Structures are given as structure tokens and as C-alpha cells.
Amino acid sequence: MSDLFHRKDPSTRRLAAIDSVVVIGLGRFGRSLALELVASGTEVLGIDCDGRLVQELSTELTHCVQADSTSEDALRQLGVQEFDRAVVAIGSHIEASLLTASLLKTLGVGQVWAKAISEAHGRILEQLGISHVVYPEHEMGRRVAHLVKGRMLDFIQFEPDYAMVKTLPPEGLLGIPLSESRIRRQHGVTVVGVKKPDQAFTHATGETVLEEGDTIIISGVPRAVERYSELR
Ligand code: ATP
């Protein structure tokens, strides 16, 4: 078993006991996700059937193992059942994605995230009981479309009817306290954060007065925040 590990430190059981995540599939999405988790202090067991990828990431991840995640025996030997959180980052190999997700449920992993590359793929993952299905390409495409269209500096949609946008304040919002701007009544959006040049974001309050060069975060229904960020 131990020869599967590309790092000398051995036990995934010990790894599973602390803040840790299994990432299965180390393609572009899985790799970025795993590296980001490691950078933020989480221990990661990365699994991929491609030995070249495993070799490449062996010094970057806490543990990196070459294995076929559609094999229940392989997952059990790696101690995957000991983890509370796992991500299935396999996209185009839909059969492998579904088999892996289903095995993780069988093994009793509490929180499973899975990447879907189509609505049908996502629906089947949900039917398997995967509660966190993400559509990275679809979601990024929508987000970039919003950025391309307007003056938005960033766009995040949490629910169909709630989004947040980073943008520049239009002229009419400058020089008066937000409580006097009637922005919520007239435009249906709320300023939630403000950033002065070279400073960090802070919460906006009724007394906040915006100036040229400030950046704001607004929230509201997507159409409203979109329209508001078009104003000059
Ligand atoms: P990307 O994140 O690069 O867009 P993708 O959506 O095209 O990836 P796939 O190519 O299907 O997804 O898989 C991503 C990774 O998962 C690949 O590195 C692949 O080797 C790995 N993978 C696929 N099937 C299995 C499996 N059965 N066991 C382990 N790893 C697998």
C-alpha cells in the first residue's frame, strides 16, 4: 500500500482525522481546487489514475496517489471512507464521475461535491444524492458574460434572484450620504461595501459618502445590479 504514496509521510488515516479533503481527478479544475485548498491550510489527498499528473503534483499536495476511483477496493485501501469531505473533479469521463460519486456515498463520506459538465450530468449526480453539484464552465461563462457586457469589475450570483457586483459608483451617488441617495428605492440595489483607493473594503453605512475613485459592492436581483452598474 505505502508504495502508492508519492510522499514519504504515510498515513491517510491520520490525514483524515484533521481538516482535510479528498480531491478525485487532478485535471485543470481538480488541480486548481486542490492547490487552493493546500494554500489555505487544508490537507489534501489527491487521487488520479494518470501517473504523470500524480507525479507532477506529488510535492505540492499533502498526499498524491495514483488509483482508479471507480474501484471500491482502491478507495477503501486509501482510507477514503475516513474522510468527511470529498470532491469529484472528473468531468468528461462521465461514467467514472458517476461511479466515483456513488462509491463515495456508499463509503459514507458526509459531504461530497461534484463537478458536472452538462445539466444531464448534474441531474444524475443529484439523483445519486450529491448535494453540492457545481458547473464550473457554465458558471464561469455566465460570470464573464456579465463582465464583458458592462462596467462591472466582478459579478457573483448566489441564487437566481440574488447577485453581488463590484463596480464604480455613478456620478449621482457621489458626495452625499448613502441614506440620502434613495438608491434602494429608485434602483432596487443596496451598497454593501466600499473601497477607497489603496485601502481595504469596509462595510457601507447610511453615513458613507462616496467619492470619485471609490469602488463599491452592490447587491440585489441580477437585473437590478446589472442595470445599476451601467449608469455613469
Ligand atoms: P478538466 O478539469 O481538466 O477540465 P475534465 O472535465 O476534462 O477535466 P476529465 O478529463 O474527465 O475531466 O477528468 C479529470 C481528471 O480525472 C483527469 O486527470 C483524469 O485522469 C482523472 N480521472 C478520470 N477518470 C478517473 C478515474 N476512474 N480514477 C481516477 N482519476 C480519473
Side-chain angles (χ1 to χ4, degrees):
M1 224 2 259
S2 59
D3 58 341
L4 280 174
F5 294 102
H6 280 247
R7 288 194 92 180
K8 293 202 178 76
D9 186 336
S11 167
T12 50
R13 278 169 209 281
R14 184 194 60 77
L15 174 65
I18 45 184
D19 177 32
S20 55
V21 177
V22 187
V23 178
I24 301 175
L26 300 170
R28 288 161 300 178
F29 175 72
R31 169 197 296 245
S32 307
L33 180 116
L35 291 174
E36 188 63 27
L37 285 169
V38 168
S40 64
T42 299
E43 304 218 344
V44 171
L45 167 61
I47 301 175
D48 201 292
C49 57
D50 182 338
R52 190 182 45 84
L53 284 179
V54 168
Q55 191 64 48
E56 265 175 42
L57 287 168
S58 62
T59 54
E60 315 270 346
L61 306 183
T62 323
H63 290 285
C64 205
V65 179
Q66 182 180 0
D68 178 358
S69 61
T70 63
S71 155
E72 182 170 346
D73 282 351
L75 294 185
R76 279 193 190 281
Q77 280 180 12
L78 292 170
V80 168
Q81 67 281 7
E82 313 279 334
F83 286 76
D84 291 330
R85 292 175 295 169
V87 182
V88 184
I90 303 173
S92 357
H93 296 88
I94 292 188
E95 192 180 334
S97 152
L98 297 175
L99 285 170
T100 304
S102 161
L103 279 177
L104 291 172
K105 294 304 286 181
T106 306
L107 292 178
V109 176
Q111 303 253 39
V112 180
W113 279 260
K115 155 181 165 161
I117 54 164
S118 66
E119 267 185 42
H121 184 190
R123 230 183 359 259
I124 302 172
L125 284 165
E126 276 166 20
Q127 283 163 359
L128 289 175
I130 307 301
S131 45
H132 310 283
V133 178
V134 294
Y135 301 81
E137 274 134 27
H138 178 71
E139 278 156 20
M140 187 49 87
R142 282 177 54 196
R143 191 153 164 224
V144 172
H146 280 97
L147 302 184
V148 167
K149 237 173 68 180
R151 306 203 309 152
M152 293 178 213
L153 304 172
D154 213 342
F155 173 94
I156 303 173
Q157 186 167 339
F158 297 99
E159 298 277 332
D161 58 356
Y162 192 73
M164 275 186 157
V165 163
K166 179 173 157 190
T167 187
L168 304 174
E171 222 175 291
L173 201 59
L174 305 180
I176 49 165
L178 286 176
S179 56
E180 290 172 25
S181 69
R182 298 157 56 107
I183 176 176
R184 204 175 289 163
R185 198 158 341 129
Q186 281 183 346
H187 301 279
V189 305
T190 303
V191 180
V192 293
V194 182
K195 183 183 183 316
K196 302 271 171 212
D198 301 324
Q199 290 182 26
F201 268 103
T202 56
H203 292 295
T205 68
E207 288 91 61
T208 302
V209 178
L210 297 171
E211 293 159 9
E212 178 123 28
D214 290 352
T215 306
I216 53 173
I217 305 277
I218 54 173
S219 69
V221 298
R223 283 297 297 145
V225 291
E226 239 170 64
R227 245 187 262 125
Y228 193 76
S229 64
E230 302 294 324
L231 296 179
R232 304 211 164 232

